[in-house]
Amino acid sequence: MLVSILFLLVPLVVNPFTLHAPTRTTFRNQISHPTNSLLQAKRVTFKEEARQKLVDGINAVANAVKVTLGPKGRNVVLERSYGAPEIINDGVTIAREIDLKDPEMNVGAKLIQEVASKSDSKAGDGTTTSTLMTQELVNLGMRAVTSGVNPVALNIGINKAAKLLSEEVKRIAQPVESVDDLKNIATIASGSFEMGRIIASAFEKVGETGSTVVEESQTLFDEVEFTEGLTIDRGYLSPYFVKDQERQMCEMTAPLILVTDAKIDDVQELVPLLEKMVKAKQPLLIIAEDVKGDALSALVVNKMRGVLDICAIKAPGFGERRKSYLQDIAIATGATFVAEEVGITLDSVTLDMLGTAERIVIQKELTTIVTDGKQEQAVKARIAQIRKEAESADTDFDKDKAQERVAALGGGIARIKVGAATETELRDKKLRYEDALNSVASAQELGIVPGGGTTLAYLQIAMKDAIIREIPDEDEQAGANIVLRACSAPLKQIAKNAGIEGEVILAKVQAKFPGQPNFGWNARNNEFGDLMEMGVVDPAKVTINALENSASIAGLILTTECLVTEIPKVVTDAEQQAIFDAQGMNTDIDPTGMGSGY
């Protein structure tokens, strides 16, 4: 068996990804456009024309995304090259799917996709609002620049106003105090009372120290299961470990776990263990300080060939704290902590030194370990020890880190099992659940504010005078006024998607400001009233991210004076085939006739 393992690993020492190098004259032909074209030159566009192209690209994406905003927002159908089309209500997913034929407009599309992605990564929700705000700021700003306002001063004013508005949102935010608050947040984010109820019950079970994950169910109904487990803020070391390409994650059932503080770069250190794993035919997760070089290549290729079901992640934390985290993981999983300082080396590891878990989900930047409950007493003892360490800690930072470790060890995992009649419905429901979970987490962090676009509409009235006083420069004031005018866009779009004139709703709502800051319009049942009492709330973090991210991109676009894009040259199928033939034979044939200096 050792011979067979070495046979698989030997090619890796060279390089598992070695490519045949083409000659100089054919290498340039490999730089091809996805639509049968070659990129041969650059187009340079200046001033108004450049900015207008960017705006056109932004509008194309924003117009597709904003129809999903609000409880009566519509869906968008996404074509797939394989399988059934997806019917989606998620802003960032829609934005990422859009590629425009015009290269200059496509740059604008990519910029607004960045806004949606940033909002998604920071708050997990509010991507549609961020996209809409960016569109409003850019279009209003373009008019100002065209009328002669200094774009640099405009950018400064936009960012100053966004910062002041964000600070005010933090000030007026109210903390989450009950399960009902969580239910209201989840209901608004998912657009479903049932999803809101399920998420609230999940958070109630796991408490503040637990985590919640979304899984597929074999039934037609949604349900919640609770399991003990812990999370690690580290992801897979190579994308080749991914099993689920659509969700970009690796999932293991009943794996064994190696916990070590070693830097693994020599494949020979792992050979004895890998030989045992081939015989055991069980998945293996390696948690180490680092896995690189020949060792990582060996794991990847053996994974791709189906010899081993394996994945590797870096250990969480840094320095001495990293060892503490590793010891926590070892105790929670029942593993032996492999370290030279305790006299255990990698080549001496046996199967009984490996930890166990019920299931592990490894994502790009997060790993969730669902423990099997066998180490419950050891975990309780470890938590008590960590709390004693926290009491004697010298700094607040050390105390906070100790609390994080307690949360990781003591928190459970609520698994929301999503059921649906079709694959299309299942994907849509999973995206809604994930958005709602992210919204709840954001709300717990910074609190909640009235939803439905009301908070931004309120700030438009309440903060106008204060912002103008803070920004004396006339051109900068123009930028601040653009941000204030854009604040009404979400409320008007929610009304439009509900089939009602947005200006009418805005006027009725703002008539009660600033005396009734929570007064707003509930688009679901077409009622006016106190939105906090109605349960129509948004996480403050989502609103803040929408302001900051949209202001950042919009200001940069308005100060753009030159746009450089590639000019695609369309080639025929015969020419494309000739290029492929030349590459395959590694000859000096140049079908494009552009010369070897390309």
Side-chain angles (χ1 to χ4, degrees), residues 557-594:
I557 290 172
L558 295 175
T559 54
T560 297
E561 195 71 5
C562 177
L563 175 61
V564 181
T565 54
E566 293 170 325
I567 303 175
K569 177 185 175 183
V570 179
V571 296
T572 65
D573 291 340
E575 290 173 329
Q576 189 72 29
Q577 186 60 50
I579 293 170
F580 291 153
D581 292 343
Q583 292 173 352
M585 294 182 293
N586 199 22
T587 67
D588 292 338
I589 297 174
D590 181 13
T592 62
M594 291 187 289

Side-chain angles (χ1 to χ4, degrees), residues 136-153:
E136 284 293 309
L137 289 175
V138 168
N139 281 281
L140 292 172
M142 280 292 290
R143 297 176 195 170
V145 172
T146 304
S147 65
V149 178
N150 185 325
V152 175

Side-chain angles (χ1 to χ4, degrees), residues 163-354:
K163 183 178 179 181
L164 291 170
L165 292 173
S166 297
E167 290 172 353
E168 180 66 11
V169 172
K170 290 180 184 178
R171 191 189 68 80
I172 65 176
Q174 300 179 19
V176 175
E177 297 177 344
S178 66
V179 177
D180 285 339
D181 287 340
L182 297 179
K183 180 182 177 181
N184 293 334
I185 296 158
T187 299
I188 295 298
S190 64
S192 166
F193 286 109
E194 182 63 16
M195 289 184 182
R197 182 191 64 79
I198 289 174
I199 290 172
S201 66
F203 270 84
E204 186 178 16
K205 285 182 180 179
V206 299
E208 294 182 359
T209 60
S211 61
T212 307
V213 296
V214 180
E215 300 178 355
E216 296 181 6
S217 171
Q218 301 302 317
T219 67
L220 297 177
F221 309 102
D222 301 346
E223 55 188 359
V224 183
E225 290 183 1
F226 176 73
T227 316
E228 295 294 330
L230 59 93
T231 56
I232 304 169
D233 60 347
R234 293 289 188 272
Y236 43 76
L237 285 171
S238 170
Y240 291 102
F241 289 132
V242 170
K243 288 183 178 179
D244 187 338
Q245 295 296 334
E246 183 177 345
R247 298 171 67 194
Q248 285 293 294
M249 64 174 55
C250 172
E251 187 171 333
M252 294 178 163
T253 303
L256 298 179
I257 304 166
L258 171 65
V259 183
T260 177
D261 66 347
K263 290 183 178 180
I264 307 174
D265 53 11
D266 184 4
V267 66
Q268 298 301 325
E269 294 179 321
L270 288 175
V271 167
L273 177 60
L274 296 181
E275 182 181 25
K276 295 181 180 74
M277 291 308 304
V278 171
K279 292 178 180 178
K281 295 182 179 179
Q282 280 185 272
L284 174 65
L285 172 66
I286 297 176
I287 305 175
E289 183 171 336
D290 200 3
V291 183
K292 56 186 179 180
D294 294 342
L296 181 60
S297 300
L299 300 183
V300 167
V301 173
N302 280 279
K303 163 84 170 183
M304 296 176 68
R305 292 181 179 178
V307 178
L308 292 169
D309 184 1
I310 198 165
C311 186
I313 66 172
K314 281 188 177 182
F318 302 93
E320 286 299 317
R321 194 170 284 110
R322 172 176 285 164
K323 289 186 179 180
S324 299
Y325 280 122
L326 286 171
Q327 290 169 353
D328 292 345
I329 296 168
I331 289 171
T333 59
T336 300
F337 181 43
V338 178
E340 289 187 5
E341 65 183 32
V342 296
I344 306 176
T345 57
L346 283 171
D347 54 10
S348 65
V349 173
T350 59
L351 292 184
D352 59 354
M353 294 181 181
L354 303 179

Side-chain angles (χ1 to χ4, degrees), residues 122-165:
K122 287 183 179 179
D125 197 17
T127 55
T128 303
T129 302
S130 298
T131 303
L132 176 59
M133 286 289 291
T134 304
Q135 182 187 28
E136 284 293 309
L137 289 175
V138 168
N139 281 281
L140 292 172
M142 280 292 290
R143 297 176 195 170
V145 172
T146 304
S147 65
V149 178
N150 185 325
V152 175
L154 200 68
N155 180 26
I156 294 172
I158 287 174
N159 284 288
K160 282 183 178 179
K163 183 178 179 181
L164 291 170
L165 292 173

Side-chain angles (χ1 to χ4, degrees), residues 95-111:
R96 286 172 178 164
E97 286 294 317
I98 297 176
D99 283 299
L100 303 177
K101 186 176 182 180
D102 187 315
E104 294 170 309
M105 290 175 60
N106 200 47
V107 173
K110 296 303 178 187
L111 287 172

